[in-house]
Amino acid sequence: MTAEKGHDGAQYLAGSPVRVAMLRALREESRRPADLTDAVDATRTTVQRILAGFRERDWVVKRDAAYRVTPTGARVHDAYETVLAEVERGERYGRFAATVERVGVDFPPAGIPDSDLTVASDQNPLAAVDRLTELLCESHDAEIRAVSPVVIQQFNDAAAAALDDGASVELIVDRDVVDTSITEFGPATDRALDDDDAEVYVSAEPIEYGLFRCDDVACVTAYDERNSPRCVLESTESTVVDWVDDAFASLRDDATRLSSVVERA
């Protein structure tokens, strides 16, 4: 099949949701035209017209009054479903990918397919914040490593609860976060300085994305231009886990301990 014919076939199939539904139905099992009208909610005339188009392209054959998909039709269906799934995934993960790319984060594309994504929306603007809080609350008696470009009371409370439950925390923030913490969250700053299980590092460069690492879970958080958490990509796959570990280690190597930055009275 030439490239032009392949494009025409793809355009023909994608040009009608009913065509897609019919090929999907025939991929599942052989069907008579009357069965197809019920399965795809189309008129008999529409079904017959589409079946003629399928036969013309050798995607189906008629046998004993029923239509069945050919090996070619099965391959076309499967390839289309694969493309459709990738497009849907791209739409869902596109905001995350675009946001981390904007701030210069070299996140590996191979880490996206097997990751879960929590996305803030107009209906649930705190979805990303809530998911990160949940992860902190679940991290009892564990080693937590995190990077954050913001300070939020909800995060402070969850981290304090994790410390109370026996967790240890390593956190990397930038100077703006430290200044905000000192001004608005004094008790949390004091605990970060006094608790032996909490170690905070201060990056000399602004931080524009977030990391979270605990047990076998690794997360990357994308923030918008207003520094609000928008997407949390979460995975246990080695591609993501190794990348998060390397990114955290690199940031920590270039950071300074909070105790060396903050002057206490």
Side-chain angles (χ1 to χ4, degrees), residues 20-101:
V20 176
M22 280 183 55
L23 192 60
R24 185 180 294 128
L26 291 170
R27 182 71 170 93
E28 295 172 354
E29 61 180 336
S30 301
R31 298 176 189 257
R32 296 172 180 266
D35 298 329
L36 284 168
T37 60
D38 294 334
V40 302
D41 192 23
T43 66
R44 186 176 182 86
T45 300
T46 299
V47 166
Q48 291 288 4
R49 183 172 63 251
I50 293 174
L51 286 172
F54 285 176
R55 293 181 70 178
E56 180 183 343
R57 292 166 175 79
D58 296 321
W59 294 352
V60 301
V61 295
K62 184 178 182 181
R63 188 176 302 166
D64 299 328
Y67 288 83
R68 62 182 62 200
V69 71
T70 65
T72 297
R75 287 173 60 86
V76 168
H77 167 271
D78 294 350
Y80 181 83
E81 293 288 355
T82 298
V83 170
L84 191 63
E86 288 303 314
V87 170
E88 291 175 348
R89 181 177 292 275
E91 290 176 351
R92 175 164 174 76
Y93 286 79
R95 179 180 297 179
F96 169 83
T99 302
V100 296
E101 179 68 23

Side-chain angles (χ1 to χ4, degrees), residues 148-179:
S148 179
V150 297
V151 57
I152 300 174
Q153 185 64 52
Q154 197 167 329
F155 290 169
N156 285 344
D157 292 342
L163 287 167
D164 290 341
D165 286 339
S168 63
V169 177
E170 285 186 276
L171 173 65
I172 303 174
V173 297
D174 60 23
R175 184 68 209 212
D176 285 344
V177 170
V178 173
D179 292 343

